[in-house]
Amino acid sequence: MLDRWVQKSIEESLSKFLKELSRPESVAEILPKGVRIEFPKKDGFGDISSPVSLNLASALKLPPRKVAEGLLRHFGNDRRFRTIEIAGPGYLNFTFEQSALRETLLGFLDGAIPLVEPVATPRRILLEFVSANPTGPLHVGHGRGAAYGDALARILKNIGHSVETEYYINDAGNQMEMLGRSTCLAWRSLRRQVSTEEVDGFLKGSTPYKGTYIKEIAKLIQETPGLLTPEEEKAAESSTGDESQYLPKFTHLSQLLIMEGIREDLVRFGVTFDRFFSERELHEEHSGSSGSAVQSWIGKIRDLTRESTGSAGVPDVYESEGALWLRTTALGDDKDRVLLRGDGRLTYFAADIAYHADKIQRGYEVLIDVWGADHHGYIPRMEAAIQTLSLLLGHKTEFRVALIQLVNLVRDGKPVSMSTRGGEFVTLREVVDEVGVDATRFIYLTRSHESSLDFDLNRAREKSMDNPVYYVQYAHARVMSLLKQAETRRVSLPERWEGSDLEPLTLGEEGEMIRFMDRFPRVLHDVGSSLEVHPFSEYLTEMARKFHHYYFHNRILSQEPGDRNLMKARLGLSIAVGRVLRTGLALLGVTAPESM
RNA sequence: GCGCCCGUAGCUCAGCUGGAUAGAGCAGUAGACUACGAAUCUAAAGGUCGGGGGUUCAAAUCCCUCCGGGCGCGCCA
């Protein structure tokens, strides 16, 4: 709100200044990126500053300070600003009147100024995240994606977008068969000796999944009557039986149980999805149609691109070396990609094309995929596929990928090895059990998802009170404690604050807190466009810091009868801070306790 | 070899759509509880922004190059 005032004032004066200079351009033409606004960290540079004169200098062929002087001449007499100064190389520094800030606070308290402003152009967004393969429990890396995706979804929704969240289950392909074989072997070894020769023969040279969860699944199958029919049990027991009699059952049961565990972990972590989308469905044949969804989409792309062989910008489907390829190099990929292998089986990429075609067809304007950073090589081919599909479906779709960098688990400063095969990895559940949901989520969200993160288990466990999340939560608890105290002291606070006397709020830091609160909507909007969540957690930490500082140095609940108005005004400010923290923490999926 | 991410205080990291004196937290140092919760606060200290070159009125930020670390480069998923 305050930043908007400044922006508008500058635009107006710039427009007048351009007229004075007889320039034909409009404000938007001469400043295509708009009027830049900054919030100076240091004192003495105003409440809000703008380097707009520096940005305009070369276009207007005037020294920055001359531009600033010209702009300053055209500012009307706006009572909301105490001073507008030219500083340094040509910055315009704006300082607000305390009365304007008090007005803003009243607006917040009564909800006249909303804490969250809707974006100008709301969009239909599909946010896909986690999508961990159902071959094992979620580990700390998935947790980071879950915390990030969930917070992003909450924020995007909050600023007015229509957002749906989705988890893509890779429940098809070799890996699922390997999973079935792994649990089957574990199951056999519960019943009898299994020789290494038998293991090698059964696994066909591949590495099995090992973790304790495999044994648990085997045990469950063994101990739950009725899961296997007597025939299946008999066939599965021997190494010479017909695999098709029992292996699909092991695969199915394993996947079901693992997926159930994943869902539980997610719920416990506070993450829910609007939809779980199964890859297998894309491979299923439907009666009356021409094969599976995957086959059908490949066919459509093939038809579409048949005539355009070799033409730039349109990847066509072609046959080579007995396989079917998509010419993704036409759109910048390193090499073309196989859709249908020589052995007649479809690739993962082919299924992903069908999946994203399905998303596009559902009418979303923006697809956001949250992937692990090890998938970055996959982006160009997926972009090529999406462009082709957009062409095919006549429906332009924006595709954005957020790559989540690695989480390095650290214990006592030493890295913990996280090999999925060996089962040494630490699961999300273990971490959450030790550290708690709030702290885990906050730790994930205080760093850019684009940088790898060191997650020190011992630090998070033993010294968990040093965790920044408690700093923010404690600030909220302090506000709530103040309000409780006020209640027992029978301080009456207005239902509507409009017209209340906030004049006693004269301190610089009080104004600073109001100004900082006022930035809330802008920070959220920045998250929406950059897809970076961590600046928002930093914002909340800073809000908490300002309040702790204020609280320590200023008495809020006064004992002097003459200070009643001061007390009320300060309580009002505290209430507003509490609301900012509560709203903000909720957007990160973190609780805001009333006491700790 | 090619591609992506990263290199900023002792440690973990912000800042990177170029702009004023490069910022936090932790650790360490020195302090603050007879009033609303000390899970807090205050102060000082800590920097060749990996090295070098370039573009610019202005570079931690953009470009080139080198060095170091991580990840990825299958008719795997």
Side-chain angles (χ1 to χ4, degrees), chain A residues 22-43:
Chain A
S22 315
R23 305 279 305 201
E25 302 99 326
S26 70
V27 173
E29 280 163 355
I30 206 152
L31 272 180
K33 288 181 185 172
V35 172
R36 281 275 295 278
I37 291 292
E38 289 171 3
F39 302 91
K41 281 182 184 163
K42 300 247 174 170
D43 292 341

Side-chain angles (χ1 to χ4, degrees), chain A residues 301-406:
Chain A
I301 293 174
R302 195 172 199 180
D303 293 343
L304 172 80
T305 60
R306 185 153 284 154
E307 297 90 36
S308 62
T309 315
S311 78
V314 182
D316 60 305
V317 177
Y318 65 93
E319 274 177 59
S320 172
E321 303 160 56
L324 206 57
W325 302 69
L326 183 65
R327 201 184 306 274
T328 52
T329 47
L331 286 169
D333 199 1
D334 293 349
K335 46 185 120 173
D336 295 340
R337 305 294 171 177
V338 171
L339 298 170
L340 184 64
R341 288 183 289 220
D343 64 7
R345 284 156 60 205
L346 290 156
T347 58
Y348 178 82
F349 180 45
D352 238 359
I353 290 176
Y355 176 42
H356 283 81
D358 191 277
K359 288 184 185 175
I360 295 171
Q361 220 172 21
R362 280 186 263 154
Y364 301 106
E365 296 160 89
V366 185
L367 304 181
I368 303 176
D369 284 15
V370 178
W371 295 348
D374 53 343
H375 287 71
H376 66 80
Y378 204 75
I379 297 176
R381 84 188 68 168
M382 209 56 229
E383 273 172 349
I386 302 260
Q387 279 199 44
T388 313
L389 289 167
S390 295
L391 202 68
L392 179 63
L393 296 165
H395 171 336
K396 185 93 186 106
T397 307
E398 189 182 332
F399 178 57
R400 300 182 71 175
V401 178
L403 288 178
I404 308 292
Q405 290 292 331
L406 245 66

Side-chain angles (χ1 to χ4, degrees), chain A residues 52-113:
Chain A
V52 66
S53 326
L54 299 133
N55 302 146
L56 284 165
S58 65
L60 296 181
K61 297 201 176 67
L62 284 171
R65 284 194 75 102
K66 289 279 173 211
V67 178
E69 284 163 19
L71 288 172
L72 195 53
R73 258 205 313 280
H74 290 93
F75 278 109
N77 183 24
D78 194 328
R79 318 185 79 173
R80 294 175 296 197
F81 300 119
R82 185 161 61 208
T83 55
I84 305 172
E85 291 168 337
I86 300 170
Y91 279 94
L92 282 172
N93 293 346
F94 298 79
T95 306
F96 294 105
E97 284 290 357
Q98 194 83 351
S99 58
L101 300 176
R102 289 194 288 255
E103 282 300 311
T104 304
L105 177 57
L106 284 177
F108 277 127
L109 284 168
D110 285 336
I113 303 176

